[in-house]
Amino acid sequence: RYHPQQPISSGINAEYGDLRTAFRSCGVETTGEETKALVNRFDRDGDGALDFSELLGLMAVLQKRMADRGKLKQIFDVMDSNGNKRINKQELQQAMAMYCQINYSDSELDELMQKVDFDNDGYISFNEFAQSIHLFKIQ
């Protein structure tokens, strides 16, 4: 059984941070709270530990999340026409018109950028894009 607060083998203490590190090595970023929520969600017997079958269920969900994130990355890369790993207002407008047949007015585009550009640097990073995908009408 894997218990995030107790030893999993002789002399090795595994905590939520360790599980987050394992997730990160698989390409999945989670916060401490997200990791704790995932453990709680898959801990079917409520003992605070994940047995093998519970851990497999968790890994299946994470694998799907990684596949979905890969698809989002492909969409992002297409929208990032200059390849600088971020989308500017002009790239967003071009991509939405070309791929979604949506022509935003300048004010609509400014509003969308404000909703998606969390750090207000004038660009949409991949993480901002992935967290805001529900705002885009991508088919």
Side-chain angles (χ1 to χ4, degrees):
R1 298 191 60 79
Y2 174 78
H3 192 291
Q5 298 297 330
Q6 302 208 356
I8 57 172
S9 66
S10 59
I12 299 174
N13 289 325
E15 297 184 1
Y16 291 114
D18 298 324
L19 192 53
R20 285 181 60 210
T21 300
F23 291 162
R24 190 176 302 115
S25 72
C26 296
V28 177
E29 290 290 332
T30 61
T31 66
E33 288 301 313
E34 288 171 330
T35 303
K36 189 174 184 177
L38 283 169
V39 170
N40 290 336
R41 177 178 166 198
F42 287 91
D43 180 18
R44 290 187 302 242
D45 57 14
D47 66 352
L50 296 179
D51 63 26
F52 185 69
S53 66
E54 292 167 339
L55 189 57
L56 283 179
L58 171 61
M59 296 309 290
V61 166
L62 291 178
Q63 184 177 12
K64 176 162 180 7
R65 184 186 289 182
M66 287 172 32
D68 291 347
R69 194 163 174 90
K71 290 174 187 173
L72 287 178
K73 181 71 169 113
Q74 289 175 337
I75 293 168
F76 179 87
D77 288 345
V78 167
M79 294 175 76
D80 176 23
S81 61
N82 67 8
N84 68 349
K85 308 282 188 232
R86 53 192 192 169
I87 298 171
N88 63 33
K89 185 176 167 181
Q90 181 182 2
E91 288 172 320
L92 177 60
Q93 188 171 39
Q94 289 172 347
M96 296 305 287
M98 185 179 301
Y99 301 111
C100 302
Q101 290 75 47
I102 298 174
N103 292 307
Y104 285 115
S105 68
D106 284 339
S107 63
E108 291 172 323
L109 197 60
D110 288 339
E111 184 179 330
L112 183 58
M113 285 292 290
Q114 285 179 338
K115 288 179 182 177
V116 178
D117 181 17
F118 302 129
D119 61 8
N120 296 311
D121 66 353
Y123 299 93
I124 301 170
S125 69
F126 174 69
N127 286 333
E128 290 168 332
F129 177 77
Q131 291 176 30
S132 305
I133 192 65
H134 63 281
L135 298 174
F136 300 99
K137 296 177 176 123
I138 297 174
Q139 302 170 354

